[in-house]
Amino acid sequence: NAGVTQTPKFRVLKTGQSMTLLCAQDMNHEYMYWYRQDPGMGLRLIHYSVGEGTTAKGEVPDGYNVSRLKKQNFLLGLESAAPSQTSVYFCASSTGSSGANVLTFGAGSRLTVL
Amino acid sequence: GQNIDQPTEMTATEGAIVQINCTYQTSGFNGLFWYQQHAGEAPTFLSYNVLDGLEEKGRFSSFLSRSKGYSYLLLKELQMKDSASYLCAVKDSNYQLIWGAGTKLIIKP
């Protein structure tokens, strides 16, 4: 059981370039999330999805776009990368949002923007 | 605003006991989570508290006091593999998770 898989694991971009991070889960989870993790800060929610075909903004959505065309996949796009987007990005999934629903995280994608 | 506070770093000795505190101020409360994150890896779930009191799971226990906005994670019989960051997170009234910055725990032999 793979759980949550993120690709790529590492990427270096130049300012202004675009890229897409792919997240895939095989647990049939309805909810999927994209977080960024920066030193000295808690995980911050970028965008999330409560089901196939739906997306919603989180705490720090500016500069990012997402799509959830298939239930198992959640894509995070950067249209014009900026150095402030240098971070470790984590995808997560869960069965729902209420109660003790636990997040299952991917291994992370480390992005550096020069 | 919403805020989760936990110590930045703690050091403990192998075989000892350590308590990691978390205080929170959030818009509503729908549960508190502790996750463990080894360096360079994904966070993994440790515990969940929604009612006041102590939840025990093997060497790990988690305590919650909703009236004080306070939780702690207690780790007993520390092992070197417990060296990691411990993340406290609270679900607010909208069922969104608010995360603390994490406590880096260093275990010394």
Side-chain angles (χ1 to χ4, degrees):
Chain A
N1 215 0
V4 178
T5 303
Q6 292 181 228
T7 53
K9 288 187 167 48
F10 301 93
R11 185 75 188 269
V12 179
L13 288 178
K14 293 182 180 178
T15 296
Q17 287 185 320
S18 63
M19 76 158 295
T20 300
L21 296 176
L22 172 63
C23 177
Q25 53 95 3
D26 61 3
M27 298 171 288
N28 202 34
H29 284 173
E30 288 294 333
Y31 284 56
M32 296 187 75
Y33 312 81
W34 276 108
Y35 285 94
R36 60 179 289 172
Q37 187 174 44
D38 300 293
M41 302 183 75
L43 287 162
R44 291 184 293 169
L45 184 64
I46 304 170
H47 286 280
Y48 64 101
S49 169
V50 301
E52 181 179 315
T54 73
T55 62
K57 293 181 180 179
E59 179 188 356
V60 289
D62 293 343
Y64 305 94
N65 56 75
V66 288
S67 65
R68 184 121 181 249
L69 299 179
K70 292 183 179 181
K71 185 177 184 178
Q72 63 267 34
N73 296 336
F74 195 30
L75 278 63
L76 178 71
L78 285 73
E79 290 185 346
S80 179
S84 61
Q85 294 177 305
T86 293
S87 188
V88 180
Y89 292 85
F90 284 100
C91 177
S93 69
S94 69
T95 55
S97 67
S98 62
N101 291 118
V102 171
L103 296 184
T104 301
F105 285 86
S109 299
R110 183 174 294 275
L111 175 65
T112 302
V113 183
L114 303 175
Chain B
Q2 307 200 90
N3 195 49
I4 310 281
D5 283 320
Q6 41 180 142
T8 302
E9 188 175 294
M10 299 181 71
T11 302
T13 305
E14 189 177 16
I17 299 173
V18 71
Q19 177 175 311
I20 302 173
N21 295 326
C22 171
T23 58
Y24 63 89
Q25 290 179 307
T26 56
S27 302
F29 179 84
N30 280 298
L32 185 144
F33 294 78
W34 285 97
Y35 281 75
Q36 180 189 59
Q37 185 178 24
H38 286 100
E41 297 184 10
T44 56
F45 170 74
L46 282 178
S47 69
Y48 169 73
N49 294 71
V50 67
L51 299 176
D52 290 351
L54 189 69
E55 294 279 344
E56 297 186 80
K57 255 191 205 182
R59 294 189 299 114
F60 292 10
S61 303
S62 56
F63 171 84
L64 175 67
S65 169
R66 288 172 295 170
S67 63
K68 294 182 179 178
Y70 168 70
S71 172
Y72 67 72
L73 182 68
L74 191 72
L75 291 74
K76 302 176 185 176
E77 301 169 14
L78 286 169
Q79 301 175 9
M80 298 303 294
K81 68 178 181 180
D82 298 328
S83 292
S85 289
Y86 292 85
L87 314 181
C88 175
V90 173
K91 267 192 185 171
D92 68 11
S93 56
N94 294 320
Y95 293 93
Q96 297 286 350
L97 273 173
I98 311 301
W99 295 83
T103 298
K104 183 178 180 180
L105 178 63
I106 300 168
I107 309 296
K108 296 186 175 180

